Amino acid sequence: MAATILDGKVLAARLRATLATRVAALHFRPGLTVVRVGDDPASGVYVRNKDRAAQEAGFIARTIHLPAATTQAELLGQIAVLNADPAVDGILVQLPLPPQIDAQAAINAVDPAKDVDGFHPINAGRLASGQPGMVPCTPRGVMHLLAESGAPTRGARAVVLGRSQIVGRPMAQLLLTADCTVTIAHSRTADLPAECARADILVAAVGRPELVRADWIKPGAVVLDVGINRLLDGRLAGDVAYAEAAERAGFITPVPGGVGPMTIACLLENTLDAALARRAA
Ligand code: NDP
């Protein structure tokens, strides 16, 4: 039987509409500032999409575009200005950064209360220790999609493919918090298909097109595909062989149109959370 498709475009639109309603009821407009350094073309598209989504939902969206030759000291100086600006609720330093800048130093410089990407070590530590904090946008979006499936998480076996700081690790922490029994697999995992085949919930975040085959999937599983891979013919593919996997999974996210749209919606959700938390503090 074919899987039910978890449509990220529809869910993200619904989440953005809910956020817009909440923002309209406030006596202020939450502010999101994106700092972009240099001219990475993919970042340009992404930053424009963020700006548009934020404005449509009633946020004050601003992009500060710095030249590619910006020094680390100049970037840190800019971040310090934003940290001190009361109109700025969320700061996002768009990655990748040019090679002369230490990305971790830039991440560490953002006030954790304004770190809407959830990458600051303080927020990563809060997540790992089960305390409230800013959660990275993509894993947060995956949790929304998982909730949409209605599949129970308590006691479910979850396998996360990938252990990056921005997706795999925080994803595993969120699933653990949701009472899943979690396995994190990576490039050194001995038998990837066998690990995956035990998963009631499978999250793929490796960046390898169609790595996950249908026979790796437990029949009826929820398959959440974070991967975005550009193929030689220009098409986008996920980390899961979608057509065959959809014949076996219970629920599946497409690429594009699955996890991707949720990331920006969750950035707005994080910005609203940050704005409310700062004003309540
Ligand atoms: P990274 O490259 O930082 O991490 C990839 C992870 O996958 C690593 O842990 C790596 O293992 C593991 N891995 C790589 N190859 C294999 C393999 N053959 N078998 C098993 N594990 C493997 O990537 P990200 O986490 O940043 O991103 C992952 C994917 O998600 C990419 O396609 C990216 O474009 C996409 N993405 C999508 C977003 C969205 O909004 N939908 C947002 C962010 C990312 P090891 O640690 O051992 O090297």
Side-chain angles (χ1 to χ4, degrees):
M1 207 183 83
T4 301
I5 295 169
L6 296 170
D7 188 330
K9 274 193 274 188
V10 169
L11 188 57
R14 209 193 308 152
L15 177 55
R16 284 189 274 112
T18 304
L19 292 170
T21 305
R22 290 175 61 200
V23 167
L26 298 174
H27 61 280
F28 67 95
R29 293 173 69 197
L32 169 65
T33 300
V34 175
V35 183
R36 180 181 174 209
V37 187
D39 298 303
D40 177 68
S43 294
V45 176
Y46 192 41
V47 166
R48 274 194 296 282
N49 289 342
K50 283 174 187 169
D51 260 14
R52 197 177 54 230
Q55 267 156 15
E56 279 172 11
F59 293 68
I60 297 174
R62 190 158 64 113
T63 297
I64 297 176
H65 192 177
L66 301 175
T70 300
T71 65
Q72 179 158 321
E74 285 166 341
L75 175 60
L76 297 190
Q78 179 63 71
I79 293 170
V81 169
L82 297 173
N83 283 342
D85 184 343
V88 174
D89 295 295
I91 303 168
L92 185 149
V93 180
Q94 182 65 44
L95 303 177
L97 291 167
Q100 74 276 15
I101 295 175
D102 173 1
Q104 193 61 55
I107 290 166
N108 292 357
V110 175
D111 178 348
K114 298 187 176 188
D115 167 38
V116 285
D117 246 345
F119 295 165
H120 193 289
I122 293 223
N123 283 319
R126 283 184 182 143
L127 183 58
S129 57
Q131 297 175 57
M134 285 291 147
V135 174
C137 305
T138 299
R140 188 171 188 178
V142 171
M143 292 307 287
H144 280 299
L145 286 159
L146 177 57
E148 191 66 12
S149 76
T153 54
R154 182 177 299 176
R157 280 184 188 277
V159 173
V160 179
L161 294 184
R163 56 176 164 178
S164 72
Q165 261 178 294
I166 65 170
V167 189
R169 285 169 202 255
M171 188 71 248
Q173 297 290 352
L174 288 174
L175 290 164
L176 191 59
T177 303
D179 293 330
C180 295
T181 302
V182 183
T183 300
I184 307 176
H186 44 78
S187 69
R188 304 284 182 267
T189 295
D191 189 345
L192 221 43
E195 294 295 345
C196 292
R198 278 194 283 272
D200 304 305
I201 298 164
L202 178 62
V203 182
V206 288
R208 299 280 179 270
E210 304 190 338
L211 176 77
V212 178
R213 312 306 309 190
D215 58 2
W216 297 24
I217 293 170
K218 181 173 174 178
V222 184
V223 177
L224 301 143
D225 191 352
V226 179
I228 302 176
N229 307 290
R230 178 74 62 187
L231 302 179
L232 288 174
D233 62 7
R235 281 183 306 125
L236 285 183
D239 290 342
V240 177
Y242 180 81
E244 58 180 69
E247 292 299 315
R248 202 162 154 106
F251 295 86
I252 192 164
T253 59
V255 177
V259 175
M262 294 304 296
T263 297
I264 290 183
C266 288
L267 173 66
L268 303 183
E269 194 175 34
N270 276 356
T271 304
L272 179 55
D273 285 354
L276 297 175
R278 279 180 55 241
R279 282 163 180 80

